Structures are given as structure tokens and as C-alpha cells.
Amino acid sequence: MSFNLPADSRLARKDFLFGVATASFQIEGAAYEDGRTESIWDRFCATPGKVLGGDNGDVACDHYHRWPQDLDMIRKLGFDAYRFSIAWPRIEPQPGVWNQAGFDFYDRLVDGMLERGIRPVATLYHWDLPQYLGDRGGWVNRDTAYRFADYADQITRVLGDRVESYATLNEPWCAGFLSYRLGIHAPGLKDDRLGFQAAHHLLLGHGLALPAMRANAPKADHGIVLNFTPAYPATDSAEDRAAADYSDEENSHWYLQPLLTGEYPLAVRERHPEWMPTVYPGDMEILARPIDFLGINFYTRAVVKAGEHSDYESIPQDAPKTDIGWEIYPQALTDLMTGFKARYDNLPPIYISENGAADNTPVVDGVVDDQMRVGYYDQHLNAVHNAIEQGVDVRGYFAWSLMDNFEWAEGYSQRFGIVHVDYDSLVRTPKRSSAVFTDWLAQRR
Ligand code: IFM
């Protein structure tokens, strides 16, 4: 069994990059080993009521100890690349203190990939901010952007060109809005103005980090990973269409537009001057420093109507959903990319840096027959194919995730892996979906 893509699809060529993705906090465990210090997610997990079941990242998938076996698994499954993230609290456990044991771990991991013929794709920040920076306001504090640039400099000095592609940030919408505006992720603040300020400092950190990253790894690609949940109007009314458009300005273009044009979207600035962040002279030029690629993380769409007391309101759909309750709507992935191409004349090459489904099918007689996930991947790979056919420059695709892991506020309740993890024994069991990928990858030309 393989994916149903046209034989002449760009995705069927060996030079289209296929990888699997994970993130440090979600898989590593070893929370306090070899000098790692507390992150804002350790603190959030320890705060009652923040994470389902009171789950935490202390052990997670124990990847910190089992990485050789996990890399063997990636090679065996046939993927070209592995997108992983680096835990800042391992690298800089105290302000300005650089931890050799932390560098050594990622040194070994990257060499382990290269030895196995797996291409390393690194993300520098996937939300595990050191708690000591959280104590000083986290991303609301402008200084955090400068601390991030220092950390990015240190880690890229060590890993250099052995990593072929670096993303500064993963999903600043989540690290900004979901964390400081909507209160769902660490540190759990609910304040519009602070959400926008945090978002600005995240993007500032991204821009500040780029020059040193380029100097330390001149042959690598440097970019950023953004997440998008495009909005569709609930009805054809002018009000609902305007609400959907506005939602996209606030949630998608707020993050992408400044990077490509050096300006935040006017629609948001005009409607909500009271939320606007403090921006220093020169900041926008820093945000707009050139990037070599845009990573797109896509899972679902939103359907919205004009709200009575808000700019837009999400309307739940009676439609197929993954186990986490997110609608399956692959057309939105094609629309999103063709829409970006139409709006931005300097859109860089795109990688789908995450896409996948929560499918909690259990192990039965040693087998995980995750058919819903197989269908989800099939539909979304076709959505990528369709975008390429319409002229979008997509260079690769990363499945989220290599293995089941800590799903943030949902704890371990939602399984996104193509490999099952038993959280008691930590045994990994490849699921049906991983076998379908392996078949697909083997037949590429
Ligand atoms: O698990 C997350 C990941 O950390 C970031 N992107 C979305 C995934 C699924 O929610």
C-alpha cells in the first residue's frame, strides 16, 4: 500500500525532501540531566490545571538516551531528513553560562544523523524557554530577543554547516498569541496587548539571530517555521467574508507579512491600535532580513463568522475530524500556498515543516492500523502536489511526528506519531502509516 499520487508528481522525485519532525521538550525527557535547567514548560506542567492529566516532560519518549535507536528507526523507515529542535535550557542553563554537556548531546545527535545518511534540519526554538528568562517576563521582555540571538550564535558555532537547514523559531503564533494572549500554552497569560508584544519580540529575535547564524553556517539554509490555520467564511455574507479575511490578517499575515515586506498588516493596525506592540526604530528592517525558506506547519482550517462582540467567531463544523477534534480539510493547504504566492512576490521556497493527524488507534496484537492517519497523509500530500501544479515552489514535506509524544496542554492524550510509543515501557512500534511512507519513499525516482 502506498500513497495515491500521480506518477509524474514532483513529490515522486528523489530530490523532493521527505522527513519526520519532533521537538526537544516533546520527546527528550532527561529533564534535569547533564546540567539542563528548568524551562517555562516544566513550570507550566507543574502548575495544577494547565496540562491534561498533570503530564510533564520529565521522561517523555526518553529520546535523550534512546536517540541512536530513534535515528536507526528513521533510516529504516527510509526518510531523507530529520527535523529536530534544540533545548535552550540544555545549552544555556544559567544566563551567559554555556553548558558543554548540552552542546555535546546535539553534536552526537547531528553526527549520528550524518553517519546514517539522514539530513539534519534544526529548529533553534520550539517553545522551551529557560525559566530564568520566563521570570523576567519571557517574550514580553525585549531583552529575550537579544538573549535568543546570543544562544543562536553559540549553538550554530558548534553545529555549523553539519546542519543543512536552520529554522530560528517554530510557530511564533503559538509562542506569542497562544501563550501570552489566549493563555493556553506556557506561561498562560491572557492579554491581547502582551500577546502582540511577545509576537514582536519573537520575530525580532528571529531577525537578530540571522547574521550570526549565516556567519557560523554559511552553507546552510536559514529560515523560520510558521503555522497557519486559514479562515473560511461560515456563510457567503459580506460580514462573514470580511471576518474570515480579518482573521487571516491577524493570525497568518501578522507573522508572515513583516518578514517579507517589513510591515505589519494595516487591517490589524487600524482596527486595534490599542493592541499594537512597542516597535523601536529599525526593528522592522531587522524582522525583514532575507530568509532562504519558509517552513509551513499546517493541520486544519477555521470556519468563522462575524462575532457579535469580537472580530470573528469560530464555528464548529459537522465534518470529518482527527482525534484531537480538528477538521480534515486538505484543500486549505493548497489554497493557503497559492494565496501566499499571489500576495507576496518575494515568497521564498516552501517546506511543509509539519503536517499530520492525531489518530489514537491503539496497538492490537502488535499492530497499529491507523487508517485515518494514512488517509489524512494521502489527502494532504495531494494538496501539496496540487499547489506545486499551480506554480508554488514547495521543496519538501515533514510528517509530524516521528513518534507519539508530549502534546503540550493535551499531555500524552493525543498521538501524532507514525511510530507508537508505549509510555510505560517506552517501546516504539511503527504504525501502518509509517509502512505506507516507507513504500512511497522506496518507489521514488
Ligand atoms: O505537537 C505540535 C508541535 O509541537 C507544533 N505544531 C503542532 C503540533 C501538533 O499540535
Side-chain angles (χ1 to χ4, degrees):
M1 188 176 167
S2 192
F3 293 120
N4 290 306
L5 282 153
D8 62 349
S9 173
R10 181 81 182 71
L11 279 70
R13 278 174 30 191
K14 280 207 168 120
D15 61 350
F16 187 90
L17 194 71
F18 270 94
V20 278
T22 65
S24 48
F25 191 83
Q26 295 179 271
I27 65 164
E28 283 180 0
Y32 299 100
E33 255 176 75
D34 292 341
R36 180 187 179 279
T37 197
E38 187 187 23
S39 75
I40 56 171
W41 269 94
D42 296 291
R43 181 69 63 89
F44 201 61
C45 292
T47 310
K50 298 297 187 193
V51 172
L52 198 69
D55 291 346
N56 61 45
D58 287 2
V59 177
C61 306
D62 194 33
H63 172 75
Y64 190 78
H65 299 113
R66 293 165 198 251
W67 63 267
Q69 159 192 352
D70 290 337
L71 295 187
D72 287 345
M73 194 162 70
I74 296 170
R75 182 178 54 181
K76 203 163 158 217
L77 292 176
F79 285 94
D80 309 313
Y82 176 39
R83 175 173 177 245
F84 65 107
S85 84
I86 292 155
W88 188 349
R90 288 195 196 284
I91 300 299
E92 191 184 7
Q94 302 303 326
V97 176
W98 306 102
N99 178 27
Q100 192 55 46
F103 291 111
D104 290 348
F105 173 68
Y106 296 104
D107 222 18
R108 287 194 295 270
L109 188 67
V110 167
D111 282 346
M113 287 180 228
L114 296 173
E115 280 159 18
R116 290 166 177 81
I118 301 166
R119 294 157 70 174
V121 173
T123 301
L124 302 186
Y125 183 71
H126 198 128
W127 312 347
D128 35 7
L129 185 73
Q131 181 60 43
Y132 60 80
L133 291 177
D135 292 341
R136 300 171 188 177
W139 288 103
V140 172
N141 185 343
R142 185 177 170 91
D143 186 58
T144 300
Y146 293 89
R147 303 283 69 77
F148 174 72
D150 284 353
Y151 150 70
D153 179 18
Q154 293 287 335
I155 187 70
T156 53
R157 263 178 215 221
V158 171
L159 299 181
D161 283 327
R162 283 178 295 156
V163 167
E164 85 170 49
S165 145
Y166 287 98
T168 50
L169 308 176
N170 180 71
E171 302 184 354
W173 182 91
C174 292
F177 285 3
L178 199 58
S179 304
Y180 292 86
R181 191 181 179 204
L182 303 172
I184 294 169
H185 278 187
L189 265 60
K190 283 189 190 168
D191 184 303
D192 290 313
R193 169 91 181 53
L194 294 184
F196 277 86
Q197 191 65 63
H200 179 67
H201 291 155
L202 280 151
L203 297 181
L204 180 66
H206 153 83
L208 287 170
L210 284 173
M213 291 168 66
R214 288 198 186 281
N216 296 336
K219 292 196 192 119
D221 283 338
H222 300 277
I224 189 169
V225 168
L226 304 182
N227 62 304
F228 300 103
T229 302
Y232 289 72
T235 72
D236 209 26
S237 74
E239 293 76 20
D240 289 353
R241 281 190 280 123
D245 285 347
Y246 178 76
S247 169
D248 284 343
E249 294 298 319
E250 194 180 285
N251 295 297
S252 298
H253 298 293
W254 189 262
Y255 289 87
L256 181 56
Q257 183 175 305
L259 301 177
L260 299 183
T261 72
E263 279 186 352
Y264 284 120
L266 190 61
V268 186
R269 288 190 278 138
E270 281 184 345
R271 191 172 303 192
H272 288 293
E274 74 284 13
W275 293 347
M276 292 304 96
T278 303
V279 174
Y280 285 18
D283 279 6
M284 299 311 290
E285 287 74 26
I286 295 172
L287 264 65
R289 284 179 174 155
I291 47 176
D292 303 321
F293 69 90
L294 170 67
I296 290 184
N297 291 358
F298 175 87
Y299 291 87
T300 188
R301 69 163 177 173
V303 175
V304 306
K305 69 176 173 96
E308 272 179 40
H309 306 289
S310 58
D311 298 311
Y312 50 87
E313 247 173 52
S314 259
I315 308 298
Q317 296 302 290
D318 184 14
K321 297 190 177 79
T322 64
D323 287 345
I324 200 170
W326 298 349
E327 185 188 352
I328 302 173
Y329 195 81
Q331 179 64 40
L333 178 54
T334 311
D335 295 347
L336 177 79
M337 291 193 277
T338 54
F340 286 169
K341 185 176 158 60
R343 174 161 166 156
Y344 298 107
D345 55 17
N346 59 344
L347 187 68
I350 290 172
Y351 288 85
I352 303 301
S353 34
E354 286 182 25
N355 179 233
D359 175 341
N360 299 331
T361 305
V363 187
V364 178
D365 297 333
V367 171
V368 183
D369 196 12
D370 54 342
Q371 290 297 340
M372 182 261 277
R373 179 177 288 108
V374 171
Y376 181 99
Y377 277 126
D378 191 66
Q379 289 178 291
H380 287 79
L381 290 170
N382 273 284
V384 175
H385 166 81
N386 292 339
I388 295 171
E389 290 290 290
Q390 291 172 56
V392 183
D393 183 5
V394 189
R395 306 261 174 105
Y397 177 98
F398 289 77
W400 182 271
S401 177
L402 166 64
M403 57 187 156
D404 297 335
N405 59 51
F406 176 79
E407 180 52 25
W408 307 111
E410 304 294 331
Y412 293 96
S413 68
Q414 298 299 328
R415 294 177 175 271
F416 277 89
I418 60 171
V419 172
H420 181 275
V421 176
D422 179 320
Y423 293 117
D424 294 323
S425 64
L426 296 167
V427 163
R428 281 87 159 122
T429 306
K431 304 178 188 179
R432 176 86 63 207
S433 52
S434 71
V436 177
F437 266 111
T438 303
D439 277 1
W440 167 256
L441 295 167
Q443 68 176 32
R444 292 177 299 163
R445 291 183 303 273

